[in-house]
């Protein structure tokens, strides 16, 4: 639509509604500046005439793009797919469009993308950002920012309760007799990694479990595959992996080396009384779709991804649009809790 036809359309709506073209513009773009009856009449006339605002022109006039930027560490990681879908699903029926960027787990790329997108969007949702606190504050000073899986005073933060799931995981392996375990660390600059290590460490210490730190490893299948040999050399009987991809990499390498998961009687037969086991137990984190498809299926701590994505999107929407629902965007605390899903990769020592 040309600029002339856009102006003509505004004039036509204004004439039919009995108001000025500037009132039509305010009614459509800044409804809080127009009384309810006038806005209702303008909207009815616009609908009757089939008027469609030119978004590019609106952006130039209003200084708003109606675009949301979403930056994630790795779109190939199946954990982030439902988060992306959740954010896009939320904004699908709004006036906002979502633009996705992938950092490939590179902090420099993340910073460059964020700084480039602040000029092109009304707000940024940063999912599990790796950048420093200083960089984060700089980005938040230039545009509206919502954080997911990261806390900061610079912006609203949507996070889950790691402590509940990690406590359940430690209690589970303790009940199975494990007393020397390993934590396979993810990226050193990951807030989620630090939180997971903090809470699994506290839960193990409370139960008298010795926890060996290994890593950091890249948060991918290849990272876990590489970690498996170090796990065997550490003399542990169970491992807590930073995420499911690392856990599945460990499982694959142990299988290739003939190490049973979660374990079996040393004699190959049934165990009675004080019989001994060989093998390793594995606990993942996230509950990605393939975690339940492996053989054996992966014991893991499930994250409330759907609730988190909806909360992040709703928070952003309420900050950008005065017409957005004013209900508290955060779901109940119970929906943000993590929980242990016991499957086949954990067993007695």
């Amino acid at each position: 639509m040309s600029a002339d036809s856009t102006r003509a359309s505004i004039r036509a709506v204004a004439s039919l509604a009995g108001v000025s073209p500037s009132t039509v513009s305010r009614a459509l773009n800044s409804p809080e500046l127009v009384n309810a009856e006038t806005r209702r009449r303008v909207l009815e006339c616009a609908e009757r005439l089939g008027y469609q605002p030119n978004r590019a022109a609106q952006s130039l006039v209003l200084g708003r793009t109606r675009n949301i930027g979403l930056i994630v560490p790795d779109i190939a990681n199946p954990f982030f797919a439902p988060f992306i879908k959740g954010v896009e699903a939320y904004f699908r029926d709004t006036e906002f469009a979502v633009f996705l960027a992938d950092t490939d787990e590179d902090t420099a790329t993340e910073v460059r993308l964020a700084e480039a997108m602040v000029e092109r969007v009304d707000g940024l949702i940063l999912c599990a950002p790796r950048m420093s606190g200083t960089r984060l504050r700089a980005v938040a000073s230039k545009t509206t920012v919502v954080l997911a899986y990261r806390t900061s005073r610079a912006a609203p933060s949507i996070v889950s309760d790691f402590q509940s799931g990690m406590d359940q995981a430690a209690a589970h392996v303790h009940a199975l007799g494990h007393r020397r375990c390993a934590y396979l660390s993810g990226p050193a600059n990951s807030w989620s990694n630090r939180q997971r290590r903090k809470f699994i460490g506290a839960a193990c210490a409370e139960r008298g479990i010795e926890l060996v730190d290994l890593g950091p490893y890249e948060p991918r299948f290849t990272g876990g595959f590489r970690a498996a040999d170090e796990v065997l050399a550490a003399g542990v009987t169970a491992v807590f992996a930073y995420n499911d991809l690392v856990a599945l990499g460990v499982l694959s390498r142990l299988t290739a080396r003939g190490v049973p998961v979660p374990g079996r009687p040393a004699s190959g037969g049934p165990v009675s009384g004080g019989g001994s086991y060989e093998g390793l137990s594995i606990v993942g984190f996230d509950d990605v779709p393939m975690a339940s498809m492996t053989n054996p299926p992966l014991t893991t701590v499930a994250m409330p991804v759907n609730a988190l994505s909806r909360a992040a999107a709703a928070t952003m929407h309420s900050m950008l649009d005065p017409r957005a629902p004013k209900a508290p965007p955060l779901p109940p605390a119970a929906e943000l809790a993590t929980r242990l899903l016991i499957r086949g990769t954990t067993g007695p020592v």
Side-chain angles (χ1 to χ4, degrees), residues 75-94:
I75 59 174
N77 185 333
F79 171 72
F80 294 112
F83 186 90
I84 295 168
K85 288 181 69 67
V87 171
E88 291 191 326
Y90 178 93
F91 284 109
R92 191 170 297 142
D93 296 326
T94 72

Side-chain angles (χ1 to χ4, degrees), residues 83-328:
F83 186 90
I84 295 168
K85 288 181 69 67
V87 171
E88 291 191 326
Y90 178 93
F91 284 109
R92 191 170 297 142
D93 296 326
T94 72
E95 297 178 0
F96 292 90
V98 178
F99 289 84
L100 175 66
D102 172 26
T103 71
D104 198 30
E105 290 287 354
D106 181 72
T107 304
T109 299
E110 179 181 78
V111 171
R112 178 177 56 79
L113 286 170
E115 291 179 344
M117 292 182 79
V118 295
E119 303 296 333
R120 298 169 174 83
V121 299
D122 292 338
L124 275 177
I125 297 176
L126 302 179
C127 183
R130 314 295 198 218
M131 69 180 74
S132 68
T134 300
R135 289 283 192 180
L136 192 55
R137 288 189 292 273
V139 172
S141 70
K142 298 175 183 177
T143 191
T144 302
V145 170
V146 171
L147 303 175
Y149 310 110
R150 171 80 179 264
T151 59
S152 171
R153 295 179 182 177
S157 303
I158 313 299
V159 298
S160 60
D161 176 15
F162 291 142
Q163 184 174 5
S164 59
M166 287 308 204
D167 192 68
Q168 292 171 55
H172 174 58
V173 300
H174 182 268
L176 293 172
H178 297 275
R179 297 296 182 267
R180 180 176 165 84
C181 305
Y183 176 72
L184 308 186
S185 177
N189 55 358
S190 165
W191 178 87
S192 293
N193 179 61
R194 294 192 295 272
Q195 292 295 300
R196 294 172 196 187
R197 173 59 183 86
K198 170 185 173 182
F199 289 121
I200 195 62
C204 286
E206 182 181 341
R207 293 167 174 83
I209 299 173
E210 180 184 1
L211 190 64
V212 178
D213 286 295
L214 298 176
Y217 303 100
E218 57 181 314
R220 294 168 173 154
F221 181 91
T222 51
F225 198 89
R226 179 170 62 87
D229 292 337
E230 296 184 45
V231 168
L232 292 177
V236 299
T237 61
V239 296
F240 303 101
Y242 164 71
N243 67 8
D244 286 346
L245 293 185
V246 172
L248 294 175
V250 172
L251 176 61
S252 177
R253 175 60 175 159
L254 294 182
T255 300
R257 289 192 55 175
V259 178
V261 175
R264 66 186 179 205
S267 62
V271 170
S272 61
S276 62
Y277 275 76
E278 59 182 6
L280 278 167
S281 288
I282 304 173
V283 180
F285 200 103
D286 287 344
D287 191 33
V288 299
M290 68 274 294
S292 61
M293 303 175 190
T294 57
N295 184 24
L298 182 66
T299 295
T300 187
V301 176
M303 288 276 279
V305 184
N306 293 330
L308 281 160
S309 64
R310 290 195 306 270
T315 301
M316 176 62 74
H317 193 201
S318 66
M319 295 172 71
L320 295 180
D321 190 345
R323 295 167 294 177
K326 291 302 180 183

